[in-house]
Amino acid sequence: MAYLSLKHKWLWIYKPLSWFVMTVHDIPSVVLMMLFYYVIFYGSVHGIAASIVALGVYTSGSLYKIFKIHVSQVGKEQKEAAQLLGLTPFQTFRHITLPQAYKTMMPLVGGELKLLLRSTSYAGYIAQKDLVKAVDAIRALTFDSFVPLLIVSLIYLLLSWLIGKGFNLLYVKFIKHD
């Protein structure tokens, strides 16, 4: 979509998609999951599947905004220089614009994926079993709140740390090739 936003001949596709992404992104993720499960899928799919689709659509809105801002910040001079070298607009986008945008947006994308991970805890509103619902069931059976909540907190912390480490490794690798 970021490429489409740069090309004026594709505005008839870009405008409705942009409106859709912006609208969906402004709805809270819990409400969006419930909307997908109860209205769009009529409860005919498993709650986890509806949560995955809803959170995917929700996160795509954030990633689109990040991507569009960073792609648009690449200077016009570089695009003009690529055109003078004989590159097509798509080659310019792929070989000049994208690598520069990747470097600046990688930390934000990593943060967005951490936010997506935290949003999965809301899936219990529509799903039968997710991590938070399982902890709640254990808490109800054992009357112990501390240990189950500590374990689920550590699981989310570990997963968030792994996402952060993975993006740091990618970022360092990307910067070394610069």
Side-chain angles (χ1 to χ4, degrees), residues 9 16 58 78 87 125:
K9 66 181 179 181
Y58 181 78
Q78 296 178 32
L87 294 176
Y125 283 101

Side-chain angles (χ1 to χ4, degrees), residues 36-50:
F36 268 76
Y37 183 68
Y38 294 114
V39 177
I40 295 174
F41 293 125
Y42 302 110
S44 63
V45 299
H46 195 274
I48 297 291

Side-chain angles (χ1 to χ4, degrees), residues 3-161:
Y3 179 71
L4 293 178
S5 69
L6 299 174
K7 307 304 289 172
H8 295 293
K9 66 181 179 181
W10 293 101
L11 285 179
W12 63 276
I13 294 175
Y14 165 73
K15 287 291 185 186
L17 285 175
S18 177
W19 178 84
F20 174 75
V21 168
M22 297 301 188
T23 302
V24 166
H25 184 67
D26 289 339
I27 298 172
S29 59
V30 176
V31 175
L32 192 63
M33 281 191 278
M34 294 173 86
L35 183 74
F36 268 76
Y37 183 68
Y38 294 114
V39 177
I40 295 174
F41 293 125
Y42 302 110
S44 63
V45 299
H46 195 274
I48 297 291
S51 296
I52 290 170
V53 171
L55 288 175
V57 169
Y58 181 78
T59 303
S60 69
S62 301
L63 293 176
Y64 163 70
K65 287 179 182 180
I66 291 169
F67 201 77
K68 182 180 176 193
I69 288 168
H70 288 272
V71 163
S72 66
Q73 287 180 346
V74 175
K76 274 198 307 189
E77 301 84 20
Q78 296 178 32
K79 295 173 189 172
E80 290 170 358
Q83 187 179 16
L84 288 173
L85 290 172
L87 294 176
T88 66
F90 183 73
Q91 288 173 330
T92 302
F93 182 76
R94 183 169 179 260
H95 296 293
I96 308 285
T97 307
L98 276 184
Q100 293 179 46
Y102 281 149
K103 285 189 302 190
T104 58
M105 74 179 171
M106 261 195 212
L108 294 172
V109 171
E112 196 59 41
L113 291 180
K114 287 181 181 181
L115 182 64
L116 172 64
L117 175 69
R118 287 192 299 272
S119 296
T120 61
S121 66
Y122 303 136
Y125 283 101
I126 61 171
Q128 298 299 327
K129 292 288 182 196
D130 72 320
L131 193 56
V132 177
K133 276 280 198 192
V135 166
D136 199 34
I138 292 169
R139 186 190 53 77
L141 289 173
T142 63
F143 300 107
D144 182 20
S145 298
F146 179 71
V147 174
L149 289 173
L150 178 66
I151 291 171
V152 78
S153 297
L154 290 175
I155 290 171
Y156 274 109
L157 185 64
L158 175 69
L159 291 172
S160 182
W161 180 80

